[in-house]
Amino acid sequence: MSSVEMKNITKMYDKVTVLKDLNLKIDDQEFFVLLGPSGSGKSTTLNTMAGLDTPTSGNILFDSEDVTYFDPNKRGVAMVFQDYALYPHMNVYKNMAFPLKMKRYKNDYINKKINEVANILGIKELLKRLPRELSGGQAQRVALGRALVRDPKIFLLDEPLSNLDAKIRSQIRNELKLIHNDLKKTFVYVTHDQQEAMYLGDRVGILNDGVIQQVGTPQEVYSHPKNLFVAKFLGEPEINIFELDKNDGGFKIGGVPVDGHNFDKLNKITIGIRPENILLEKKSERDMPLKIVIRAKEFTGSGFIIIASTDEGKEIRIISDQANMDVGDLITAYIDYEHAILFDEQGDSINK
Amino acid sequence: MLKAAKKKFNMQNLIYLVFIPTFIYLGIFFLYPIYLSIKYSFTNISLTDIGNYTYLGFLNYHNLFTSGTFINSIYTTVIFLVVSAIIGQMFLGIVVAYLLSVTQKYFRLIITSIILVAWATPQVTAGIMWYSTLSYIPSGTVNVFLGYFGIHSINFLSTHLALMSIIIANVWLGLGFSVLIFSSGISGISPSIMKASRIDGANPFTRFFRIVIPLLKKSIITDLLLITLFTLGAFTLVYVMTGGGPVNSTNIMTIYQYRTGFSLFSLGLANAIGVIIIVLALAISILYLISLRGD
Ligand SMILES: Nc1ncnc2c1ncn2[C@@H]1O[C@H](COP(=O)(O)OP(=O)(O)OP(=O)(O)O)[C@@H](O)[C@H]1O
Ligand SMILES: [Mg+2]
């Protein structure tokens, strides 16, 4: 049993505020992903959870026990780092034994535990090797093993897959998911890779500039982003954005008014539409037409990414499973009103 | 292709030309003096009559190793080396560098500067300073201080305490160098390794002995090598503070050599001592380098 709660956490280095009044509740056995661009404060958040850093103000609760000023080793957490952080002078076996030795476990137990974990991770042949004799993927498996042998209450992972090549990355990513399913422990996973976040997370928290932007399931944050930042950060290719000024008391695209109430007080709105929600055929009367010129077609294996520009010269991207047009063609595409996301001038999403 | 290879070969030969002045320089100012030193160590050459000397074979060496003063001098040198360099500067240097690495940035800067000032102090200045700090008659700073607390003056430069005093002075003088070497060694340890060890439950003490020290092995050997050579060659500080006395209690080999050469004018004997110092330094250096070869 281990839930994590961060209450009003603020962290300052000298005079720079890195985390601003951060609140976060992570459930027991949840796979929680903290997602954000570089420098947004992800590692700082994780370090304060681990006890490697203390917050300037605010509290951290594990299962409603206040651990804000606990030492890392009193918190029962294990951590995996981007650069593996294996002890260079110890072989794999000794690396994995280190946390257990610190806890004064008997050698028999240590031996049994390491073999058990080494089997799960397929690193049994590596036990005698030194870290410098391992490939990146092997090293990260060992680091994972060092975390697993401890039976921690909470796993903290700071971009563990970032240094690996694509193939190994997806392989270990899958294993991680399976391990989580087996262990039923709480995982907090930090990444800047939105695809990884969507794939792994039961829930995803998006962090920008030390402020949590939104927390939700991958589907929620993808389909119902709370603000423009979240909308733009998630999804590949990036969401298409149209900024509209008020005209004749309303907003229009291609002559079709944008349906919606609550527009009275707004002078400007922004429409976000995901590439897969731009249609090549009209579906409803409320869909808004775009006159576009095809610039390029990219085959992705399962479909196409069409790059086109509107008559205002704006570049847009469309995902479509068919592409029976050629570069240079002039066609009309439609913004699927049902899936369009509206934002006010501050970039916060608004109801239609 | 053959042509290209030939051209490369010529280029490589040219590079050796660049080194010729260096070789000549080393030959004249380094190897030849050592050759002379070894040669004279087998003679009875004297400072009073440099032109005339005869070969004595190993007599100088024999005389040295049967002389109580010389054996005592080796003994003093080894104690001076082990306590002031290996234990004092090296071990204390690691501890100080480790403590500094976990303290605040500005504090670290201030302490490092203070320690480095000591290292940058000319040895004569340092010697005079330490002499006036430890002096018995007239009372030096420490004894004046002890006087305030009603404690009797202590003769820090007496036969019993002089060796300890020069050891402390030499640690003071050389600590900065070791701290600098180890600070850069510690900053080369990945921060995530230190973090991982904290997460894994290592307390600062365990972390120091099981993570920091093993990872500093290269710095340790480099430091040991250099400070051993510095300390074997130490002269000025000790000469200013004690002149090798009282009663030979701080008569390290370099001082013994200097006195033999310039008080007894016996250059042959002095050169023999010099050769022994060089052999000792070489032997220790090779020992260190071998222990590095493991990785
Ligand atoms: N020890 C420190 N002293 C001063 N500033 C720091 C310190 N650690 C982090 N910062 C600053 O805090 C901010 C957040 O850093 P953090 O490492 O948490 O970001 P991150 O989201 O993990 O980024 P990345 O994806 O690059 O790892 C950065 O602007 C960084 O410069
Ligand atoms: Mg980070």
Side-chain angles (χ1 to χ4, degrees):
Chain A
M1 271 293 288
S2 248
S3 64
V4 180
E5 188 174 358
M6 306 197 78
K7 273 177 144 174
N8 309 102
I9 296 290
T10 295
K11 176 68 191 178
M12 292 167 66
Y13 288 115
D14 293 329
K15 290 204 170 61
V16 187
T17 312
V18 176
L19 298 179
K20 293 161 197 154
D21 195 27
L22 184 132
N23 286 286
L24 210 54
K25 231 179 142 162
I26 297 164
D27 295 330
D28 182 35
Q29 301 185 13
E30 184 175 25
F31 202 121
F32 188 90
V33 177
L34 200 56
L35 173 69
S38 182
S40 56
K42 306 181 295 290
S43 296
T44 309
T45 309
L46 209 63
N47 286 346
T48 48
M49 254 182 226
L52 294 169
D53 231 331
T54 42
T56 312
S57 68
N59 294 84
I60 300 163
L61 311 180
F62 285 3
D63 281 334
S64 67
E65 182 185 16
D66 192 326
V67 298
T68 316
Y69 299 102
F70 277 26
D71 245 26
N73 63 339
K74 288 224 186 77
R75 297 192 187 201
V77 299
M79 198 159 170
V80 179
F81 299 86
Q82 180 176 351
D83 61 357
Y84 325 129
L86 297 176
Y87 308 121
H89 56 296
M90 302 181 193
N91 66 21
V92 168
Y93 183 93
K94 285 189 175 147
N95 260 282
M96 289 169 73
F98 189 74
L100 300 176
K101 284 236 170 76
M102 291 300 109
K103 289 209 164 129
R104 302 187 191 290
Y105 280 109
K106 292 245 159 36
N107 279 337
D108 287 349
Y109 174 82
I110 295 178
N111 205 6
K112 201 183 110 223
K113 195 76 203 173
I114 290 179
N115 279 310
E116 192 183 305
V117 170
N119 267 332
I120 296 174
L121 293 170
I123 51 173
K124 217 154 176 190
E125 311 76 53
L126 307 177
L127 289 176
K128 291 215 164 61
R129 294 217 201 148
L130 283 171
R132 64 163 173 270
E133 297 160 349
L134 302 174
S135 72
Q138 291 170 331
Q140 199 53 291
R141 278 215 170 78
V142 173
L144 223 50
R146 189 174 62 184
L148 286 171
V149 290
R150 300 181 40 192
D151 275 330
K153 291 190 289 183
I154 302 167
F155 285 90
L156 305 174
L157 304 103
D158 194 347
E159 309 206 30
L161 307 182
S162 296
N163 285 5
L164 305 175
D165 66 55
K167 194 153 181 149
I168 306 274
R169 194 184 315 163
S170 72
Q171 205 177 338
I172 300 190
R173 193 179 65 183
N174 292 341
E175 286 171 30
L176 215 50
K177 188 102 182 166
L178 295 176
I179 288 172
H180 173 251
N181 288 342
D182 283 349
L183 290 180
K184 304 210 167 21
K185 294 269 170 71
T186 311
F187 279 56
V188 185
Y189 186 104
V190 159
T191 181
H192 63 261
D193 180 336
Q194 51 98 18
Q195 261 168 342
E196 208 169 278
M198 304 277 202
Y199 180 90
L200 283 170
D202 293 330
R203 283 191 309 152
V204 178
I206 294 119
L207 193 64
N208 186 34
D209 261 341
V211 177
I212 291 279
Q213 307 290 318
Q214 186 174 4
V215 176
T217 64
Q219 295 86 336
E220 268 166 22
V221 292
Y222 183 77
S223 307
H224 305 288
K226 272 215 177 116
N227 58 37
L228 261 175
F229 176 83
V230 175
K232 284 182 180 170
F233 198 71
L234 301 175
E236 170 65 36
E238 202 177 278
I239 192 167
N240 297 294
I241 299 289
F242 299 91
E243 286 167 357
L244 306 180
D245 289 318
K246 197 170 239 175
N247 214 334
D248 292 339
F251 302 99
K252 282 180 189 164
I253 292 184
V256 173
V258 178
D259 207 358
H261 19 278
N262 311 326
F263 287 171
D264 307 345
K265 284 161 269 155
L266 301 172
N267 290 318
K268 263 184 183 166
I269 60 165
T270 302
I271 293 187
I273 185 78
R274 299 245 174 240
E276 65 273 25
N277 294 328
I278 293 185
L279 310 168
L280 298 177
E281 277 159 45
K282 191 146 117 176
K283 209 172 71 180
S284 119
E285 280 311 309
R286 298 187 300 182
D287 293 347
M288 294 152 278
L290 291 170
K291 284 204 164 49
I292 53 172
V293 182
I294 310 298
R295 294 287 175 213
K297 284 194 298 188
E298 293 169 359
F299 182 56
T300 61
S302 57
F304 296 89
I305 294 172
I306 299 163
I307 302 170
S309 52
T310 65
D311 41 13
E312 279 141 31
K314 193 174 165 51
E315 195 176 276
I316 63 167
R317 281 176 165 68
I318 303 169
I319 293 180
S320 167
D321 47 11
Q322 38 141 347
N324 44 8
M325 75 283 277
D326 293 313
V327 171
D329 283 0
L330 190 78
I331 63 165
T332 304
Y334 298 88
I335 294 177
D336 182 355
Y337 177 77
E338 193 191 333
H339 289 109
I341 309 161
L342 307 188
F343 303 92
D344 64 14
E345 276 174 83
Q346 284 73 45
D348 293 325
S349 75
I350 45 176
N351 292 330
K352 284 177 196 159
Chain B
M1 222 182 89
L2 211 78
K3 223 173 166 182
K6 204 170 173 187
K7 201 168 176 186
K8 201 173 160 203
F9 180 74
N10 285 339
M11 277 303 288
Q12 274 179 350
N13 276 358
L14 268 180
I15 284 173
Y16 289 117
L17 283 180
V18 179
F19 286 121
I20 285 180
T22 320
F23 287 139
I24 293 176
Y25 175 86
L26 279 178
I28 295 178
F29 295 103
F30 192 72
L31 294 177
Y32 187 63
I34 288 183
Y35 158 75
L36 277 187
S37 195
I38 294 172
K39 179 177 143 189
Y40 289 151
S41 74
F42 292 103
T43 68
N44 66 351
I45 187 170
S46 159
L47 199 57
T48 51
D49 186 7
I50 289 189
N52 284 317
Y53 55 85
T54 47
Y55 284 92
L56 304 172
F58 281 92
L59 190 63
N60 283 334
Y61 292 96
H62 178 264
N63 285 345
L64 280 174
F65 283 107
T66 50
S67 134
T69 319
F70 183 68
I71 299 296
N72 172 61
S73 173
I74 292 183
Y75 174 76
T76 311
T77 307
V78 169
I79 296 205
F80 183 62
L81 177 71
V82 171
V83 182
S84 85
I86 296 173
I87 298 176
Q89 293 176 14
M90 198 251 330
F91 197 73
L92 201 62
I94 300 183
V95 173
V96 171
Y98 177 61
L99 291 178
L100 286 177
S101 76
V102 295
T103 50
Q104 222 221 338
K105 194 165 66 188
Y106 298 109
F107 184 73
R108 183 159 66 219
L109 201 70
I110 292 167
I111 299 290
T112 313
S113 314
I114 292 174
I115 296 179
L116 278 180
V117 165
W119 190 58
T121 307
Q123 297 215 3
V124 177
T125 316
I128 292 173
M129 213 183 81
W130 274 98
Y131 184 81
S132 46
T133 305
L134 299 177
S135 164
Y136 184 51
I137 303 168
S139 280
T141 321
V142 176
N143 278 325
V144 168
F145 212 70
L146 290 179
Y148 284 137
F149 295 98
I151 300 171
H152 273 295
S153 288
I154 298 170
N155 187 357
F156 291 105
L157 298 173
S158 68
T159 321
H160 293 302
L161 295 179
L163 184 57
M164 186 201 74
S165 296
I166 62 165
I167 283 172
I168 289 172
N170 193 50
V171 171
W172 175 88
L173 191 74
L175 188 62
F177 180 78
S178 297
V179 168
L180 215 60
I181 292 225
F182 292 126
S183 289
S184 89
I186 287 175
S187 69
I189 299 177
S190 148
S192 61
I193 286 179
M194 300 302 258
K195 285 185 192 169
S197 71
R198 286 179 65 193
I199 298 270
D200 284 346
N203 60 34
F205 199 72
T206 321
R207 196 150 65 239
F208 180 69
F209 284 103
R210 305 209 34 185
I211 309 286
V212 175
I213 292 211
L215 292 185
L216 284 181
K217 188 174 168 195
K218 282 211 172 92
S219 307
I220 289 175
I221 303 284
T222 311
D223 184 66
L224 269 181
L225 187 67
L226 292 170
I227 62 176
T228 299
L229 297 183
F230 292 160
T231 310
L232 273 181
F235 173 79
T236 315
L237 178 76
V238 181
Y239 194 76
V240 172
M241 280 177 72
T242 66
V247 213
N248 289 341
S249 62
T250 57
N251 195 23
I252 55 175
M253 284 163 84
T254 46
I255 290 185
Y256 186 51
Q257 183 190 15
Y258 176 82
R259 284 166 153 184
T260 309
F262 295 102
S263 306
L264 305 176
F265 307 126
S266 174
L267 279 190
L269 206 56
N271 275 312
I273 298 171
V275 169
I276 292 169
I277 294 178
I278 290 173
V279 169
L280 200 65
L282 267 176
I284 297 177
S285 308
I286 288 168
L287 215 67
Y288 290 150
L289 291 177
I290 286 174
S291 67
L292 242 192
R293 269 217 336 220
D295 37 28

